Amino acid sequence: TGGQRMQFQLVKEAIRTNLEELGMTDDVLRRVGELNLAGNGFLIVSGPPRSGVTSTLYSLLKQHDAFIRQLVTLEKQPVVDLENITQHTYADDASLAATLAAALRRDPDVVMIDQCPDAKTAQLICDAAGRKSLLLGMHATDAFQALAKWVKVSGDPVAATKNLRGVLCQALLRKLCPTCREAYRPDPQLLAKANLGGQQIDSFYRPPTKPLVDEKGNPVTCPSCQGSGYVARTAAFELLEITDELRQMVAQNASLSQIKPACRKNRMLYLQEEALRKVIDGVTSIQEVIRVTQHAKKS
């Protein structure tokens, strides 16, 4: 009852602030970087809760030069201190609009806002986006849902998309352990269902289905993943670019069934398709993609 005691505290993964390390494919990384640095306007960064949206917002913010431009954030609770960036906090959702208005009066060059809870905040964002570069965080399961939520909260489809450059949505995926991952030939019916039937795919990878053994046949635990089959995480990203055609469709209250073909024509890949590209590359498993996408639909 009176001896030494030790307390353990679980510290979550460090927030990443390097855009190249988040898991974007080369084409998405290039376009997101171009849209982020294109000047006045804004980007929406979305994803389910705890999917790394803050890391992406910080990474996009740090693409801007903090030494020659004034960078500002508005966050309910900043996760890390950002060097040479002014971080404002607000007490509750109702006070965000007033805090944002006060920050905009100081004429910053780039503003990051972690959410948009009401129409008043949305109006300030729409007005400021014509003069500044903004980044907006949002909870959504895909880019189309994020766009719909943004249009709804702003209340004006024309103003909502006038200076909107794109909507990014992401989902976290566990990475397969490179030491013990197991190759297998995927089921042709599964490939067809995932729209991969026309591609030449020799193998997918998955966690080991049989116990690992050493050279003497004794059961062993993988030293890299401790038997979990996964090590670290990455993210899949879906980018919805806002074109003039899409702005006109949103202004006319077009349905999702009308908007999606227009995005396809612009070579957009959906979030699940971006995740499947990581399966093809051996980064993660099809089981992990199914787990994450099913969880996102339930959320």
Side-chain angles (χ1 to χ4, degrees):
T1 57
Q4 292 182 338
R5 291 187 297 175
M6 181 179 294
Q7 183 181 29
F8 289 92
Q9 182 180 4
L10 183 64
V11 181
K12 65 181 179 179
E13 288 182 13
I15 293 291
R16 297 180 183 178
T17 56
N18 187 339
L19 204 63
E20 289 77 12
E21 296 177 356
L22 301 183
M24 294 182 188
T25 55
D26 291 341
D27 49 349
V28 172
L29 178 64
R30 176 182 57 81
R31 282 303 295 147
V32 168
E34 291 172 352
L35 293 172
N36 184 38
L37 301 176
N40 298 340
F42 70 107
L43 283 173
I44 294 175
V45 180
S46 63
R50 297 176 298 278
S51 63
V53 170
T54 300
S55 286
T56 304
L57 286 169
Y58 284 175
S59 299
L60 289 168
L61 190 64
K62 292 195 72 174
Q63 274 199 315
H64 298 271
D65 193 335
F67 292 96
I68 62 174
R69 308 190 75 191
Q70 184 183 359
L71 310 185
V72 169
T73 72
L74 285 91
E75 305 167 80
K76 184 173 288 187
Q77 185 176 359
V79 182
V80 295
D81 292 331
L82 300 173
E83 185 178 2
N84 295 320
I85 296 174
T86 303
Q87 294 175 271
H88 297 287
T89 60
Y90 57 94
D92 50 48
D93 293 354
S95 62
L96 175 56
T99 307
L100 175 58
L104 290 173
R105 283 195 290 271
R106 297 183 179 90
D107 197 25
D109 298 301
V110 185
V111 182
M112 187 210 93
I113 308 130
D114 65 353
Q115 64 164 332
C116 181
D118 52 47
K120 190 173 181 180
T121 305
Q123 183 179 355
L124 288 169
I125 292 171
C126 291
D127 292 343
R131 311 182 307 275
K132 305 179 185 302
S133 178
L134 288 88
L135 298 165
L136 173 63
M138 186 175 291
H139 285 159
T141 56
D142 61 48
F144 298 102
Q145 185 188 69
L147 177 61
K149 289 177 69 173
W150 165 246
V151 172
K152 183 178 179 180
V153 74
S154 66
D156 184 346
V158 175
T161 58
K162 180 180 179 181
N163 293 302
L164 178 60
R165 300 192 208 111
V167 182
L168 193 66
C169 189
Q170 63 190 75
L172 278 182
L173 298 163
R174 293 178 297 171
K175 298 171 68 174
L176 282 167
C177 174
T179 304
C180 67
R181 67 179 185 175
E182 177 182 283
Y184 70 100
R185 186 172 294 276
D187 182 4
Q189 292 183 350
L190 177 64
L191 293 178
K193 189 174 180 180
N195 295 323
L196 299 174
Q199 299 189 35
Q200 184 63 37
I201 301 173
D202 296 327
S203 61
F204 278 174
Y205 290 88
R206 62 189 174 195
T209 57
K210 300 178 181 178
L212 301 180
V213 296
D214 59 17
E215 60 275 5
K216 296 181 180 180
N218 299 318
V220 295
T221 300
C222 175
S224 300
C225 68
Q226 302 301 313
S228 69
Y230 296 92
V231 174
R233 294 186 295 180
T234 186
F237 291 86
E238 172 185 66
L239 176 61
L240 170 59
E241 293 193 48
I242 307 300
T243 62
D244 289 338
E245 179 187 6
L246 190 56
R247 289 187 181 93
Q248 186 175 2
M249 294 180 73
V250 172
Q252 295 171 351
N253 294 315
S255 65
L256 189 60
S257 61
Q258 295 173 306
I259 290 175
K260 280 192 171 184
C263 297
R264 277 296 201 193
K265 190 171 65 175
N266 202 31
R267 298 182 179 181
M268 175 185 175
L269 291 178
Y270 300 151
L271 187 60
Q272 189 173 27
E273 293 171 323
E274 291 285 1
L276 286 172
R277 293 172 73 175
K278 295 185 180 296
V279 176
I280 296 171
D281 293 338
V283 175
T284 191
S285 66
I286 189 71
Q287 295 84 357
E288 176 68 0
V289 172
I290 293 172
R291 182 189 71 85
V292 169
T293 53
Q294 286 182 342
H295 176 73
K297 287 179 181 178
K298 291 177 182 178
S299 300

